[in-house]
Amino acid sequence: MSSLHLKRREFVQFLGASAVVAAGHRLMPNWLVTRADASEPTATPLLDNLDFKPAPISHSGDLTLCEGFEYEVLLKRGDVINPQGETYGDHNDYLAIVQRDATTGWLWSNHENVSMKFLLPGEMLDTFKYAETRLRNMGGTCVRIERKPGGPWRPVLPHAENFRVDGLSSRLKLTGPAAGTSWVFGAHEAIGSVGNCSGGITPWGTFCSGEENFKDTWGDPEMKDNPPRSIRHFRRPSEHYGYICEIDPDTQELFKHTSLGRMAHENVAFNLTRDGRLVAYTGDDRVEQCMYKFISHDRYDPAAGKANRRLLEHGTLYVANTKKGKWIPLDPEKNRRLRRHGFDAARVCVNTRTAAKLVGGTPLARPEDIEVHPVTGEVYVALTSWQASGIDKTKPDYFPDIAGALGRLRERDGDAGSLEFEFDILVRGAKETGLAWPDNIGFTDQNNLLVATDYTIKSKPDKNSSQEYFGNNYLVVVPTSGPKQNQVIRFAVTPKGAEFCSPTLSLDRQELWINVQHPGDDSPSLKELSSHFPEGGDAIPKSAMVAIKRKRTTN
Ligand code: FEO
Ligand code: CA
Ligand code: CA
């Protein structure tokens, strides 16, 4: 039995011994929740045996599923979540579930961005109200989930323990080498979290959220990005954003872990090294940016529960050089070049991209989601696209295919602690393969990869665009082994204007929970809406979380 399996078993033993039975602390893909309750029904998990007819191409304003499936809306923008009247934010992206006991758990959902034309129709771009509404609708939402006897897991709304994290007023503690240093202007906490794209679940059962396009709110001096004029009513240092945040649903404590670097963090995927140290993989979703992994200094202690959080404060951040197949440490003590350019350990955490390029990190085609295969421990990466930017697109290292690719990174000897790896491309985005602009990925129990596409949707498709070939964005299943290995099988299609985010199997494996982000965003005006999802009729479209399930058959 490999060390990966052993560690996982140890972890399950830890769960069994603990009062905190969390379902998501897998040393496995972030969107696959571990079934902690042995009394679960044994029906075949959804999407395991691929017994469905692929979903058709659609340009419709509705959510389109394969024959025999239906969906139910779980949460939508504006839903009141607690007695204080806080509401579910906009643009839901990552979702994650942890189970606490046989009938209760927590659900987390990121709010990446806002559709201001639907939130505040007609409001001028530079008013205080505009800026405040924008910040309040980003961040994330944490809600209780419950299961009634014989029924499915469902969010509980409203509930006194449900809470919001937003871009306006939440306070998040900075941890790691940069906290309190001049690189963050002496701060020990940051106000607000923005651009919350995808995320992960820690091995101790808390949620992580990646601050991706923080530049669109606060700018970024490192990359010479200016903040938008609309946000001028609020002044915050850009260096307080762009981190992997941690949300403890039980205590409502919030953290930004600077040791994992500052960039357009898509998500984080955890694993353990063969000798038991914590590994966190993370991608930087920007053209010509890199892939990273953090390795903790100390070992993970299954008995220590949330005290393992300190592992994220001390360790080494590495950047991938995919040409040489090497992880290069961003460690000024060992690297004279970093020192010469004025880097200390704290600055590495804040100007991470500059440090990565100095040591030879390979620019990639927008590394988005990174997930660890539940059986093999191989690391799967969604390389969303290559956009022309003066790079020599003929060089194979640069994955010139404009429609993106699915990549795979295999650590030497299967040890996540190795500093050498092999990297290859499994499926390229192309008309022929049926894949385009892969963004969010996840695994089913039987190792089927789930991939959500994310390309631009316009009122009318451009000639030769992904939209013209494939219609609205969609979700596919890609088996990672067996006779259908690397085939791309369409399972669901978004309403027009939207993308799917975070395909996640429910705790009982009978539903696929997925976020539908920015439906109808291509609408020319409020009078010409391209979608009315999820409420139908003449309703303004709203981002929403749905549960996809098999239709009940009556004989
Ligand atoms: Fe928020 Fe990289 O997608
Ligand atoms: Ca994404
Ligand atoms: Ca996206």
Side-chain angles (χ1 to χ4, degrees), residues 248-277:
D248 188 328
D250 305 300
T251 63
Q252 300 191 11
E253 290 173 288
L254 309 172
F255 306 89
K256 293 197 183 195
H257 294 301
T258 69
S259 58
L260 273 60
R262 177 170 165 273
M263 62 194 78
H265 276 292
E266 177 76 21
N267 82 322
V268 59
F270 292 100
N271 208 342
L272 289 185
T273 65
R274 193 159 284 164
D275 63 3
R277 290 169 294 151

Side-chain angles (χ1 to χ4, degrees), residues 93 112 197-198 212 266 285 368-369 384 439-440 454 499 501:
D93 195 307
E112 180 178 28
C197 186
S198 188
E212 189 194 36
E266 177 76 21
D285 181 8
E368 293 220 61
D369 256 318
T384 276
D439 181 345
N440 284 187
D454 180 14
E499 63 173 301
C501 299

